[in-house]
Amino acid sequence: MASSRDRQRKLARAKLDRQMARRAASARRRRQIQAGVGAALALALIVLGSVWALGGFDREPSPAAAPEICAWTPQDAASNSSLKDVGMPSTTGLPTTGTRPMTITTNQGSPVTVDLDLANAPCAGASFAHLAGRSFYDNTTCHEITADGALRCGDPSGTGTGGPTYTFTSENVPSAPAPEPTPSASPAAGQPPLYPAGTVALIGSAPGANGSQFLIFLKDFNPTAPTYPIVGKVSAGLDVIQKIGTTELVDNGSGEKVKPKTDVVIQSLTVGEPATDAPPAAPPATTTPTATPTAAGQS
């Protein structure tokens, strides 16, 4: 019996030793795993610290929003049936240097070419391009020769009250001439005209509220209080415009003898791509306080 008990004790002892050995091995594995994880974390921290020190976590700057060059003021077509809705031009990404060719083909002779001044009147250039791209001016009538000596065009209604469903402010109104030293002297004496023959300018429903209507000056015009924003000049075909200026004028239906007896029809008006090699434009003129333009029924 004693030897049987001894064997049982030996077997129990051996079992305990095996359990202890397994526990010890398991503890060693845990320590090894923990040591490995700790080393990996330490290495990761070192790498992350290096990346941070080198600026790897600096946030990329957000691209700046393109500045809005032009602001278009909506107009209510419901209150003016002469307005034509063709949307609005873009407010960003507009060309602001050089010139842009505008070609006006009428029923009165060879086409008239205008160089739009993008440096001094970029919004006017953008508006002309937008409207021309939607055939806004095609088959419209130049309905007036103004008292200021300019052919007035750009109103699809032919009434002087039409335009698109937006307006925009004036950009390039010439400065008023300096006063002469004596009251008897002409205000234009010794000074170049503010609006030389061939000048293209906008005419709005009120100064600073421009739409589609424009003037092409048949002769030099030098007012004491300029109000028309200059948008370009005729580079070819001024003789055609001046010939139109000699036509007989008739009543426009409102008691004013300003309408050409023979209809002057714009068959098409197109705007080309901006010129990439155009010389720098002259600095913009300083806008002066405006007065009501002399032409009647402006829009």
Side-chain angles (χ1 to χ4, degrees), residues 68-140:
E68 290 192 357
I69 298 174
C70 305
W72 315 107
T73 302
Q75 301 297 309
D76 185 10
S79 61
N80 183 355
S81 60
S82 296
L83 298 182
K84 182 178 179 181
D85 188 359
V86 290
M88 293 188 186
S90 174
T91 58
T92 60
L94 306 176
T96 57
T97 58
T99 60
R100 194 168 192 174
M102 181 170 74
T103 302
I104 307 170
T105 302
T106 73
N107 64 337
Q108 298 297 312
S110 58
V112 176
T113 303
V114 174
D115 290 335
L116 296 174
D117 184 352
L118 300 181
N120 294 322
C123 297
S127 180
F128 273 115
H130 173 79
L131 296 175
R134 286 151 181 80
S135 302
F136 185 92
Y137 293 103
D138 295 0
N139 301 311
T140 61

Side-chain angles (χ1 to χ4, degrees), residues 23 28 33-34 59 112 131 136 184 189 221 229 263 265 282 292:
R23 291 174 183 172
R28 284 195 301 271
I33 292 172
Q34 291 171 348
R59 180 175 296 178
V112 176
L131 296 175
F136 185 92
S184 60
F221 177 51
D263 284 346
V265 179
T292 303

Side-chain angles (χ1 to χ4, degrees), residues 283-299:
T286 302
T287 302
T288 60
T290 55
T292 303
T294 58
Q298 295 175 8
S299 168

Side-chain angles (χ1 to χ4, degrees), residues 22 27 34 40 44 107 123 135 151-152 165 199 213 216 238 263 280:
R22 285 196 295 269
Q34 291 171 348
N107 64 337
C123 297
S135 302
L151 179 65
R152 181 175 180 178
T165 52
T199 297
Q213 295 190 48
I216 304 178
L238 181 58
D263 284 346

